[in-house]
Amino acid sequence: MRLRLLFLLALCRAGTTAFGRSLSLRGSWRIRSGNGSLELPGRVPGCVHSALFQRGLIQDPFYRFNDLDYRWISLDNWTYSKKFKIPFNISKWQKVNLIFEGVDTVAKVLLNSVPIGKTGNMFKRYSFDVTSVVRDVNSLELRFQSPVLYAAQQSKAHSNYSVPPDCPPPVQKGQCHVNFIRKEQSSFGWDWGPSFPTQGIWKDVRIEAYNICRLNYFVFSPIYDNHTQGWNLEIESSFDVVSSKPISGQVMVAIPELQTQQSYSIELQPGERIVELFVKINKNVTIETWWPHGHGNQTGYNMTILFKLDGGLSIEKSAKVYFRTVELIEEPIEGSQGLSFYFKINGLPIFLKGSNWIPADSFQDRVTSDLLRLLLQSAVDANMNTLRVWGGGIYEQDEFYRLCDELGIMVWQDFMFACALYPTNQDFLNSVRAEVAYQIRRLKYHPSIIIWGGNNENEAALMMNWYNIPARELHTYIKDYVVLYVKNIRKIVLAVSSKEDWSYNSKFSLHRQHHADGNSEMLRQVEFHFTLPESPDPLQAFKDTIYLTQVTQAQCVKIETEFYRRSRSEIVDGQGYTMGALYWQLNDIWQAPSWASLEYGGKWKMLHYFARHFFAPLLPMGFEDQDVFFIYGVSDLHSDCKAKLTVKVHTWSSLEPVCSSETDHFVLKAGKAVLLYKEPVPVLLENCGNCTRQSCVVSFYLSTDSQLGSPTNYHFLSSLSESVGLRKAYITAIISQQGDTFAFDLETSAVAPFVWLDVGSIPGRFSDNGFLMTEETRTVLFYPWKPTSKSELEQSLRVTSLMDIY
């Protein structure tokens, strides 16, 4: 398997503007011990050990046996406090947040004596809404719990079974149960370092106040289009819109050195909103790619992005963009049972030369930019091009990765799990999921990061049974390993896997395709009746191809199932009386191309909407045989019903039918399939004026004297790739709420085959989807599975029909 990844540097946050104010709470704080017997000033960012040392209350923690003598520090529950005045009128701001970039580790947070939240993970960013609590003059407290005592409590609470190792080997002189706390694992001691389980605020903390909206972050990634042999850029921006009304505006993206400048119109609904932009890089300008040290330059390009929104709100950010590709090559090797394992950067195989990186100090406030540059430059000077950030330390500070980008050092980035088994209770998993999602978003765009590793030696510890687990209990720990790394961490990584994966023939797509030649088979089926997508945007081409495979799958199963249903009452050439149609398959065990009609997680594919129709209790079904068009009617009802059949013919170029006919009423027998309509296709077309097979489509439905009717069915007289007059349909939707249901009133400008409504990750289903729209208006209902709102649906809705992909 080759895993192709495309990354670049990009994670920037909004600063102070006329519509937002930021107050840093860095600097001087007060620190006191659990019983209040000791109180002293301390610095933020910082930790208790550093504060005690800086005030002369302890010696250098690294001196002689001080790692043992100062264990009392880690066993106490310390409190950080600060009084501060807001230097602006706080009442004028719609929302105020208290933001911690890093808290080490377990603490209760109080503002003006009001509990506003808790922290429990050193590797997460925390944001607390303090709008209703903050005042002009404030007192802030973080009441820490000893990480050693907390870890022991969590281990004891995990009473079903132990999660080894309980403690490190005695020679390491460390603390126990580090695997029960999301904190630097080596801070409890390692075979090369001391035990200093720190407490403190180890990264920035600030107050942010804003009106209208705030730019939370923007990230961007490059996409190399093999078809056009050019680069594009995808930008994702996250906003917190506190305005009660939608906000409109313009976004301008400029990369002057690449002669690229584009503008976009956006509209932001109230709430947390994501804006996605696609920037085409000027193909007439040569782009220099980022290379590892020793193989080329580390060229980057300055980009500015300007948001000009309603009310005069202007937000401008800048960042450096890097372009490069990464491939992990795993292929059979002749004469060996194993696979290759090497990296290509920009298509060139690279021999990785380097070492492993552990935390540069037990106390992170002592790790300066100058120290990082010194250490990393030393690696480069020794002809290294790669460092592995080891999984028992920390996700390094931003400056580390910026320097690696600058110096051409490739980074193998571990997740922070090492030499232990870990619990999988829900609170622990929730914390890990938030940690992983945050760190991937923070770091993945650095060109230096080439791969993510799950952990350090944990699988070896399990499979080689380092902890002497009885054989009869081993399955429990294997299950936990799969739950933590495969079902949680890996799932999150893949959810933001490289955009290069979003290609029909990407190595990842092929990896997930477990049916021999399955992707090629699907494309061959598509090409029988449709033209393959030709979008120059590879991500859009991938989405379009998925859309067509869903159409093809739904059509194929529909036609076969309708054949089985109409065969229930007759024998043809010795075959018939069919009394069942069970298609393969209903649901998926994971995210992958398959025969399922329900996605992993339960979302309906087009086939499932089709199944709702082709399994309807009353259904007309059309087909051709030797240039004759037939319509059968089938009833699964328990009693006869009086019905009539309506047949309409539309040209692809008009919403008005060119002809329509109705049969006389007839009795449709219960539990039977009967022939209702028979007409040579040339006669049918002649009776409808200027129709040809390529220019017209037939639709038909059953109606009864009661409210019971059938779905509208249709028959294509030719493959849609041969259609004449079919044009792009512009479909609008007006959404209204009706109790717990939402109505989507659709209006189209043209006949539209396979209209597909998608509301992204909002769970629920539509009353119909993937349908042929031959009338100007149509109402479709949406049944949400969880509470949602009209504005969320409007923000998420995407409408696609066949001609949108061409």
Side-chain angles (χ1 to χ4, degrees):
M1 178 190 76
R2 299 182 186 180
L3 179 61
R4 181 185 295 264
L5 304 174
L6 294 174
F7 293 129
L8 81 170
L9 173 64
L11 178 62
C12 301
R13 304 191 179 281
T16 301
T17 72
F19 293 85
R21 298 292 299 271
S22 181
L23 173 65
S24 174
L25 298 181
R26 293 170 64 108
S28 180
W29 286 58
R30 299 294 297 177
I31 302 176
R32 68 175 182 271
S33 60
N35 62 10
S37 61
L38 184 61
E39 186 168 347
L40 66 151
R43 303 290 298 178
V44 169
C47 68
V48 174
H49 287 80
S50 295
L52 291 169
F53 177 55
Q54 289 160 3
R55 299 299 297 178
L57 297 175
I58 62 171
Q59 293 177 309
D60 185 340
F62 290 166
Y63 181 71
R64 301 202 72 215
F65 300 103
N66 283 345
D67 59 321
L68 300 180
D69 293 340
Y70 295 155
R71 286 192 172 217
W72 60 270
I73 300 172
S74 299
L75 295 174
D76 204 348
N77 300 322
W78 296 86
T79 295
Y80 271 60
S81 63
K82 185 179 183 68
K83 292 183 178 179
F84 61 95
K85 183 178 181 180
I86 302 290
F88 47 85
N89 188 343
I90 199 68
S91 66
K92 292 185 177 180
W93 303 96
Q94 292 173 280
K95 190 169 184 179
V96 183
N97 288 336
L98 173 62
I99 297 173
F100 294 91
E101 295 293 341
V103 177
D104 180 14
T105 295
V106 180
K108 295 179 180 178
V109 185
L110 297 90
L111 182 62
N112 300 324
S113 300
V114 177
I116 60 170
K118 299 178 180 180
T119 69
N121 190 318
M122 182 181 182
F123 309 123
K124 285 171 53 179
R125 177 180 185 269
Y126 290 90
S127 179
F128 302 108
D129 184 345
V130 296
T131 310
S132 61
V133 181
V134 70
R135 301 195 293 255
D136 291 335
V137 179
N138 302 273
S139 63
L140 177 59
E141 276 193 348
L142 275 74
R143 298 176 183 173
F144 285 91
Q145 183 178 357
S146 160
V148 177
L149 300 181
Y150 173 85
Q153 292 171 3
Q154 294 300 305
S155 176
K156 185 177 181 179
H158 196 279
S159 56
N160 292 340
Y161 55 92
S162 65
V163 182
D166 288 337
C167 301
V171 69
Q172 294 183 15
K173 303 174 181 65
Q175 298 284 9
C176 300
H177 310 298
V178 68
N179 49 344
F180 278 86
I181 184 170
R182 291 311 299 144
K183 177 177 172 60
E184 177 184 338
Q185 299 290 275
S186 61
S187 69
F188 275 44
W190 219 257
D191 58 5
W192 41 253
S195 173
F196 285 113
T198 47
Q199 298 176 50
I201 303 172
W202 74 296
K203 290 190 175 183
D204 284 347
V205 54
R206 63 188 179 277
I207 291 284
E208 289 193 350
Y210 49 100
N211 293 329
I212 304 178
C213 78
R214 173 182 179 270
L215 176 63
N216 297 322
Y217 66 83
F218 79 93
V219 295
F220 47 92
S221 56
I223 300 170
Y224 185 74
D225 187 343
N226 286 308
H227 178 71
T228 63
Q229 296 187 338
W231 287 94
N232 300 306
L233 199 63
E234 281 193 339
I235 300 175
E236 178 183 293
S237 304
S238 169
F239 289 88
D240 181 17
V241 182
V242 295
S243 167
S244 60
K245 298 179 180 179
I247 302 171
S248 299
Q250 296 287 317
V251 187
M252 283 147 280
V253 181
I255 309 177
E257 293 169 273
L258 299 181
Q259 299 176 27
T260 297
Q261 182 167 328
Q262 294 180 30
S263 61
Y264 310 82
S265 296
I266 63 170
E267 182 174 288
L268 300 173
Q269 299 293 329
E272 295 285 339
R273 297 300 170 202
I274 299 292
V275 173
E276 295 180 341
L277 305 174
F278 186 83
V279 180
K280 294 184 178 180
I281 304 300
N282 190 335
K283 288 184 61 179
N284 297 321
V285 178
T286 300
I287 294 179
E288 294 188 23
T289 51
W290 181 95
W291 288 96
H293 172 65
H295 293 276
N297 296 325
Q298 293 75 49
T299 304
Y301 298 92
N302 294 320
M303 178 182 74
T304 59
I305 179 169
L306 175 63
F307 298 87
K308 299 189 74 172
L309 305 175
D310 287 348
L313 175 57
S314 180
I315 304 172
E316 183 174 4
K317 301 303 298 179
S318 62
K320 190 171 286 289
V321 182
Y322 296 91
F323 299 85
R324 68 100 175 90
T325 63
V326 177
E327 297 170 271
L328 170 59
I329 311 300
E330 293 182 276
E331 294 177 334
I333 302 173
E334 186 176 353
S336 171
Q337 294 181 353
L339 301 177
S340 67
F341 191 98
Y342 68 93
F343 291 88
K344 284 184 177 180
I345 307 297
N346 302 322
L348 180 70
I350 300 290
F351 191 100
L352 272 58
K353 300 184 295 185
S355 188
N356 287 264
W357 175 275
I358 64 170
D361 199 292
S362 291
F363 312 108
Q364 281 297 310
D365 53 293
R366 304 207 294 208
V367 181
T368 64
S369 295
D370 288 344
L371 176 60
L372 288 174
R373 179 174 285 279
L374 172 68
L375 297 173
L376 294 175
Q377 184 65 51
S378 295
V380 168
D381 289 346
N383 295 312
M384 294 184 182
N385 59 27
T386 308
L387 290 174
R388 173 190 172 226
V389 177
W390 172 76
I394 62 168
Y395 305 94
E396 280 294 336
Q397 56 182 277
D398 293 341
E399 181 68 1
F400 173 92
Y401 301 98
R402 190 193 68 78
L403 287 169
C404 288
D405 296 340
E406 175 187 319
L407 295 171
I409 299 174
M410 294 179 287
V411 175
W412 179 306
Q413 177 66 52
D414 275 7
F415 290 104
M416 295 300 118
F417 301 87
C419 296
L421 306 183
Y422 288 85
T424 57
N425 56 291
Q426 199 58 52
D427 287 345
F428 190 89
L429 291 178
N430 289 343
S431 182
V432 167
R433 281 196 289 264
E435 164 192 331
V436 170
Y438 168 67
Q439 293 295 343
I440 290 175
R441 190 187 75 198
R442 181 175 78 96
L443 299 177
K444 72 170 185 173
Y445 301 101
H446 288 276
S448 53
I449 296 180
I450 62 170
I451 192 169
W452 290 82
N455 58 68
N456 176 76
E457 301 180 353
N458 296 356
E459 186 170 345
L462 179 61
M463 302 315 296
M464 297 173 67
N465 205 5
W466 291 0
Y467 309 121
N468 299 313
I469 299 169
R472 65 181 180 277
E473 299 174 10
L474 197 59
H475 68 93
T476 297
Y477 299 95
I478 294 175
K479 178 183 176 182
D480 282 357
Y481 186 96
V482 172
V483 166
L484 179 58
Y485 298 106
V486 178
K487 295 186 177 180
N488 282 277
I489 294 177
R490 183 174 184 269
K491 182 178 179 180
I492 295 171
V493 173
L494 293 179
V496 291
S497 302
S498 166
K499 295 300 182 184
E500 183 68 9
D501 292 339
W502 291 83
S503 161
Y504 197 76
N505 290 314
S506 73
K507 298 302 182 287
F508 179 69
S509 292
L510 295 174
H511 169 66
R512 283 296 177 101
Q513 173 56 266
H514 282 202
H515 179 63
D517 202 33
N519 282 14
S520 297
E521 285 185 6
M522 287 194 288
L523 290 185
R524 285 197 295 269
Q525 290 295 320
V526 169
E527 286 182 304
F528 282 138
H529 298 289
F530 303 97
T531 302
L532 290 177
E534 298 178 351
S535 172
D537 172 7
L539 178 58
Q540 189 59 50
F542 181 53
K543 292 179 179 179
D544 293 345
T545 304
I546 290 176
Y547 170 79
L548 278 185
T549 62
Q550 301 307 293
V551 169
T552 303
Q553 178 197 28
Q555 279 288 103
C556 288
V557 179
K558 169 186 183 290
I559 291 169
E560 185 167 3
T561 303
E562 289 180 352
F563 166 70
Y564 294 147
R565 291 198 69 186
R566 73 172 187 262
S567 299
R568 69 175 294 169
S569 300
E570 64 183 10
I571 297 289
V572 177
D573 296 331
Q575 298 181 350
Y577 286 171
T578 305
M579 289 300 294
L582 283 70
Y583 68 82
W584 184 265
Q585 68 199 66
L586 177 69
N587 60 318
D588 260 328
I589 196 171
W590 68 339
Q591 303 94 333
S594 82
W595 296 265
S597 62
L598 295 178
E599 293 183 6
Y600 178 71
K603 186 174 181 178
W604 287 29
K605 293 184 182 177
M606 194 177 294
L607 170 56
H608 214 74
Y609 285 103
F610 275 40
R612 189 168 179 267
H613 288 317
F614 62 62
F615 282 150
L618 198 64
L619 184 68
M621 301 162 293
F623 70 100
E624 285 186 50
D625 186 20
Q626 297 182 358
D627 218 22
V628 177
F629 179 54
F630 301 85
I631 298 178
Y632 274 64
V634 65
S635 170
D636 288 334
L637 303 178
H638 290 185
S639 58
D640 299 348
C641 69
K642 191 176 182 181
K644 67 177 180 179
L645 173 70
T646 300
V647 180
K648 294 183 178 181
V649 178
H650 280 81
T651 63
W652 287 120
S653 58
S654 175
L655 289 165
E656 293 295 326
V658 292
C659 60
S660 178
S661 64
E662 290 181 352
T663 65
D664 294 332
H665 279 88
F666 54 86
V667 175
L668 187 57
K669 293 289 186 177
K672 297 292 183 180
V674 297
L675 178 63
L676 303 178
Y677 180 95
K678 179 180 178 181
E679 187 92 75
V681 173
V683 175
L684 174 64
L685 296 176
E686 184 179 350
N687 291 339
C688 291
N690 294 322
C691 265
T692 66
R693 281 185 173 275
Q694 291 74 30
S695 65
C696 290
V697 61
V698 184
S699 63
F700 41 93
Y701 59 89
L702 294 171
S703 53
T704 68
D705 291 339
S706 66
Q707 291 186 347
L708 178 65
S710 76
T712 298
N713 212 336
Y714 51 84
H715 176 71
F716 298 132
L717 295 164
S718 71
S719 294
L720 270 71
S721 60
E722 302 170 352
S723 63
V724 174
L726 189 60
R727 63 179 189 268
K728 182 178 177 66
Y730 296 93
I731 302 174
T732 59
I734 297 176
I735 304 175
S736 59
Q737 187 166 2
Q738 302 175 357
D740 295 332
T741 303
F742 294 85
F744 286 62
D745 293 318
L746 306 177
E747 183 173 340
T748 182
S749 64
V751 174
F754 307 114
V755 176
W756 183 249
L757 309 177
D758 191 276
V759 289
S761 61
I762 298 176
R765 72 162 181 88
F766 289 94
S767 58
D768 199 4
N769 215 344
F771 46 81
L772 172 67
M773 195 167 179
T774 58
E775 297 178 341
E776 185 176 5
T777 61
R778 179 169 185 162
T779 298
V780 177
L781 302 180
F782 179 73
Y783 307 100
W785 293 339
K786 290 183 179 180
T788 187
S789 66
K790 173 185 171 183
S791 60
E792 286 181 332
L793 291 169
E794 289 173 337
Q795 184 77 11
S796 302
L797 178 63
R798 299 292 181 270
V799 183
T800 305
S801 62
L802 183 62
M803 295 306 290
D804 288 328
I805 69 175
Y806 300 123

